[in-house]
Amino acid sequence: MTSNIRIEKVCQYCGTKFIAKTTVTRYCSHSCNKKAYKLEQRNTKIDYARYAIRNVEELKYQSMGPPVYLTVRETSAILKCSTKMVYFLISTGRLKAINLSVRKTRIKLQDLALIY
């Protein structure tokens, strides 16, 4: 089936007027069609890259909530006392702590709440 339709249209890529033989024709030539397709693919890739970067940045700065374990310095700041006092509370057994190594003592947040 052939059509005798002749419609004057404007190319969506280059903006020139042309005679279209169908109602769905968007471009004046095959080269404009290829260029528009390549531009669309390029913009899609750029949008995807921007979306990926935005998601990475959001995950990077997303809050993980309050820490479950605190350092001795953080505990002393919460209790408003010296770090020596915190070590004293740990040694007397009034405050539970986990000793990961010589310099890595961690106090569970729930155990700190039991002091009050």
Side-chain angles (χ1 to χ4, degrees):
M1 284 177 64
T2 60
S3 168
N4 291 331
I5 299 174
R6 302 282 186 248
I7 302 171
E8 189 173 315
K9 287 192 165 192
V10 177
C11 179
Q12 290 184 358
Y13 183 75
C14 65
T16 59
K17 289 184 179 181
F18 68 99
I19 304 293
K21 295 180 182 176
T22 65
T23 57
V24 294
T25 304
R26 296 169 48 192
Y27 306 106
C28 63
S29 64
H30 186 62
S31 63
C32 280
N33 188 2
K34 286 194 299 186
K35 290 175 186 176
Y37 175 77
K38 289 289 187 181
L39 182 66
E40 184 180 331
Q41 293 298 315
R42 180 176 181 269
N43 289 338
T44 303
K45 286 182 182 181
I46 291 171
D47 290 342
Y48 178 75
R50 286 182 183 151
Y51 174 76
I53 289 171
R54 190 177 329 118
N55 281 346
V56 168
E57 288 175 355
E58 287 175 4
L59 290 175
K60 185 177 178 182
Y61 297 114
Q62 186 177 14
S63 176
M64 299 298 287
V68 178
Y69 290 95
L70 301 172
T71 62
V72 173
R73 183 175 285 172
E74 292 169 343
T75 306
S76 66
I78 291 172
L79 294 176
K80 295 181 182 169
C81 65
S82 67
T83 56
K84 289 183 181 182
M85 182 63 183
V86 174
Y87 282 117
F88 175 75
L89 292 172
I90 292 169
S91 66
T92 57
R94 294 169 59 187
L95 183 62
K96 286 185 179 180
I98 298 170
N99 199 1
L100 300 174
S101 70
V102 177
R103 297 182 181 186
K104 291 192 179 194
T105 304
R106 301 290 184 252
I107 295 106
K108 202 172 192 179
L109 192 59
Q110 294 173 348
D111 293 336
L112 183 64
L114 292 176
I115 287 183
Y116 290 111

